[in-house]
Amino acid sequence: MTTTPHTRPITRRTLTKGVAWAAPVLAIGVAAPAYATSGPAPTFTFIKACKSPGDSCKVFPKGYEFRFTVCNPGTETIWLYTVTYTATGTNLKLIHASPPLPIRVDPGGCREVVFRADSSNSANQDFQATMTVTWGHTQTAGGDPNPHPPVSTTYTVPGTPPDCACTAAPVP
């Protein structure tokens, strides 16, 4: 005895029920991280490093300045909160940012930012550094409801002659 399977045509009602059950599963499957909805991270372009002229510059003896262009490719204001860095081949210590932190970068805009590092001697140094910056969309760190991973950039500084301008105000 052969049996033939019972077949029914698929109706619009049956199809609609299937879509209704599948839709919530699809929505859950494509959820994105919260920080993806708040816009892109700031970008950092290394401009140059300059060495302080040593003890002849009382406001900034023995150290380097690192100049970056910081751009905001998004549509919301970005604030830079903290800056840390690690370096190989040097004993530099980050001491100052100009303008002072937190630093505001307007939507679609760019600005030059200078970071200073102090040294225990005035010798020329060749080194590589990785700078890590925390950021968000509120002036106060921790006030942004969306989490933002820190941004890191690595740059190389060749030994340079003392060519920083000695006009900056003393760093507190």
Side-chain angles (χ1 to χ4, degrees):
M1 165 169 101
T2 46
T3 57
T4 58
H6 179 66
T7 59
R8 285 189 304 183
I10 297 177
T11 65
R12 268 188 277 164
R13 182 180 217 183
T14 304
L15 186 59
T16 303
K17 283 183 193 176
V19 169
W21 279 103
V25 174
L26 179 62
I28 292 169
V30 296
Y35 62 80
T37 63
S38 69
T43 61
F44 292 80
T45 303
F46 180 64
I47 299 171
K48 75 172 207 165
C50 68
K51 182 181 171 296
S52 169
D55 285 331
S56 65
C57 182
K58 298 298 181 204
V59 295
F60 180 43
K62 300 178 184 172
Y64 280 82
E65 285 185 349
F66 311 108
R67 294 183 181 276
F68 288 85
T69 299
V70 181
C71 294
N72 176 354
T75 58
E76 294 181 65
T77 298
I78 285 177
W79 292 89
L80 309 180
Y81 303 130
T82 63
V83 180
T84 57
Y85 82 98
T86 57
T88 56
T90 185
N91 62 350
L92 295 174
K93 176 183 170 192
L94 188 69
I95 58 169
H96 179 72
S98 177
L101 295 166
I103 297 170
R104 178 186 172 127
V105 185
D106 291 327
C110 296
R111 70 181 307 167
E112 186 173 304
V113 177
V114 178
F115 301 101
R116 283 190 178 169
D118 195 11
S119 177
S120 60
N121 65 58
S122 61
N124 285 343
Q125 300 180 47
D126 294 312
F127 57 92
Q128 185 175 54
T130 299
M131 181 176 69
T132 303
V133 179
T134 60
W135 66 281
H137 294 293
T138 59
Q139 186 172 2
T140 305
D144 193 330
N146 295 315
H148 300 282
V151 175
S152 293
T153 185
T154 300
Y155 54 98
T156 301
V157 178
T160 59
D163 61 354
C164 289
C166 190
T167 58
V171 176

